[in-house]
Amino acid sequence: MTQRPLIYDFDQQELSAFLKEMEQPAYRSGQIWQGLYQQLLVDPGQFSTLPGQLRENLALHLDFNGLTPVRTIKSTDGETIKSLFKLRDGAMIEAVLMTYKERRTVCISTQVGCAVGCVFCATGQMKFTRHLTSGEIILQVLYYARMLQAYGDALTNVVIMGMGEPFYNYDATLKAVDILNDPKGFNFGARRFTISTVGIVPMIEQFAHENRQVNLAVSLHAAEDDLRSKLIPINRKYPLFQLIQACREYIGLTHRRITFEWALIDGVNDSPQDAARLAALLRGMLCHVNVIPLNPTHKYPGQPSQRERVDAFVAELGKAGIPTTVRTRRGVDIHAGCGQLATQEKSINTGSDQ
Ligand code: SAH
Ligand code: SF4
């Protein structure tokens, strides 16, 4: 049996076209859109504005459930909630909700696994299975939005920094952002999204021309090619020179600040010299650096930098006038790092001890 289309894969035009095929009046599309993205309804039976026959037909022809939570765990401080989800084909992905003061940030995945294979990353260690559809990306956001809605609360930020490389699943990622951004639906402001890329140069160039207010983050982790290529194999294809040039062009075109991400790995990329090299690379750029002590993973021996090393690294960047934030390793006790829970589940399933 062929799979029914996932309703969340439709943008509003596609939904309208589908409903037209079902010989429905045009206004039904708006009603359903509101039900999905404003009321956050989960199944067609709940759409009280629709006639019973249409609800039944929707249930018959479309899938409303593309993401099933299989495990949800909370960090001991209660501020981080991570869920492992099963997709319709049985593939597993994860998403994380982080609450901090007024912020409610969800971190979502764009692929099952990742082909880039960064050595320190649990998702990269897992290899690539497939891209997510736009609906599967959207459903991760809606899952947490519904959870918060039950407490009269709402999401404030969406970071596309979970499993996978969003710029290798470019169209589905931007389609998801656009749908969630729609003022007639979820109405989540473009500036509240951040897309993190490992540095796929042609896609950064394309993204620069999109004229979107979405924030861009670039995972750097090293400021010299030898080291970066060891950590991030794609650096051989898109070396630092090209990457930084693309970032400068992006800033020139959009006038938007880029966030550079740097996982501090003890004795690998955390010396004051590393910081000085980074400062030189970023000189004059409209940017911000986020440093985060590495989340250790099973297949990589690197360890997080100690407090003094972190402070010295940040101080060096400060001297060069580069704004820097230290991100705490939130949810470490629940393996909230990218891909870590799915890897764990896989090893439980296969009985391996990786
Ligand atoms: N593929 C994209 C987005 C997903 S990874 C990218 O690479 O940017 C999101 C961020 O988590 C990246 O900055 C990545 O380098 C970082 N990351 C991955 N594994 C990590 C780990 N074990 N510890 C700390 N940061 C990690
Ligand atoms: Fe892929 Fe990003 Fe992980 Fe690298 S860090 S393997 S690009 S998900």
Side-chain angles (χ1 to χ4, degrees), residues 10-299:
F10 291 152
D11 60 23
Q12 213 193 332
Q13 268 184 341
E14 289 163 339
L15 179 64
S16 300
F18 192 89
L19 291 165
K20 202 170 170 195
E21 289 277 301
M22 288 170 85
E23 296 176 349
Q24 291 297 318
Y27 64 88
R28 293 286 181 221
S29 165
Q31 287 177 320
I32 294 173
W33 201 250
Q34 273 179 13
L36 293 174
Y37 293 109
Q38 288 184 358
Q39 294 163 269
L40 309 184
L41 306 180
V42 293
D43 90 69
Q46 297 175 315
F47 286 70
S48 53
T49 51
L50 306 180
Q53 184 65 46
L54 176 56
R55 286 189 244 165
E56 276 169 35
N57 275 332
L58 289 175
L60 200 63
H61 296 292
L62 293 170
D63 206 341
F64 281 68
N65 185 17
L67 197 66
T68 309
V70 283
R71 204 139 75 91
T72 291
I73 47 176
K74 250 188 191 183
S75 61
T76 41
D77 61 14
E79 289 180 343
T80 307
I81 301 177
K82 174 158 182 157
S83 291
L84 182 70
F85 298 99
K86 193 179 265 191
L87 305 172
R88 292 193 294 171
D89 61 355
M92 302 278 207
I93 54 154
E94 58 195 46
V96 185
L97 174 70
M98 292 161 285
T99 55
Y100 183 66
K101 293 186 178 158
E102 301 304 307
R103 281 170 95 91
R104 309 279 178 270
T105 304
V106 63
C107 174
I108 57 169
S109 299
T110 53
Q111 297 180 318
V112 182
C114 182
V116 178
C118 303
V119 294
F120 50 82
C121 171
T123 308
Q125 293 161 6
M126 208 185 299
K127 305 288 184 269
F128 176 75
T129 305
R130 71 168 173 88
H131 295 302
L132 299 191
T133 68
S134 59
E136 291 168 332
I137 298 171
I138 287 169
L139 277 169
Q140 298 167 64
V141 176
L142 295 185
Y143 175 79
Y144 287 107
R146 290 168 188 149
M147 183 186 281
L148 290 170
Q149 187 192 40
Y151 298 98
D153 206 347
L155 288 170
T156 60
N157 298 81
V158 171
V159 296
I160 306 182
M161 291 191 185
M163 297 165 66
E165 170 48 44
F167 277 1
Y168 275 153
N169 190 14
Y170 190 84
D171 292 345
T173 300
L174 288 196
K175 182 175 177 183
V177 168
D178 287 346
I179 289 174
L180 292 170
N181 180 223
D182 181 4
K184 296 191 298 299
F186 196 63
N187 193 21
F188 203 79
R191 289 162 194 265
R192 298 199 278 156
F193 289 92
T194 300
I195 300 183
S196 175
T197 178
V198 71
I200 312 300
V201 168
M203 303 323 288
I204 294 175
E205 288 165 357
Q206 187 170 334
F207 189 64
H209 290 91
E210 299 281 357
N211 205 14
R212 283 182 165 85
Q213 305 292 310
V214 173
N215 301 301
L216 180 65
V218 174
S219 301
L220 219 45
H221 307 311
E224 45 161 346
D225 279 318
D226 279 356
L227 176 59
R228 194 164 189 272
S229 297
K230 275 190 203 135
L231 298 173
I232 301 175
I234 201 81
N235 189 68
R236 294 194 188 94
K237 189 165 179 189
Y238 305 117
L240 280 165
F241 168 73
Q242 280 182 31
L243 175 57
I244 296 299
Q245 190 178 326
C247 290
R248 287 187 188 277
E249 281 169 18
Y250 169 90
I251 295 166
L253 272 167
T254 62
H255 308 291
R256 297 190 66 78
R257 177 188 304 266
I258 292 185
T259 298
F260 289 101
E261 290 163 281
W262 193 283
L264 282 167
I265 312 171
D266 186 39
V268 173
N269 64 352
D270 65 345
S271 69
Q273 291 83 340
D274 289 310
R277 223 174 274 132
L278 173 60
L281 195 66
L282 303 184
R283 187 165 295 132
M285 277 173 103
L286 179 61
C287 69
H288 182 103
V289 173
N290 266 345
V291 297
I292 178 167
L294 183 81
N295 264 311
T297 52
H298 290 301
K299 292 190 184 164

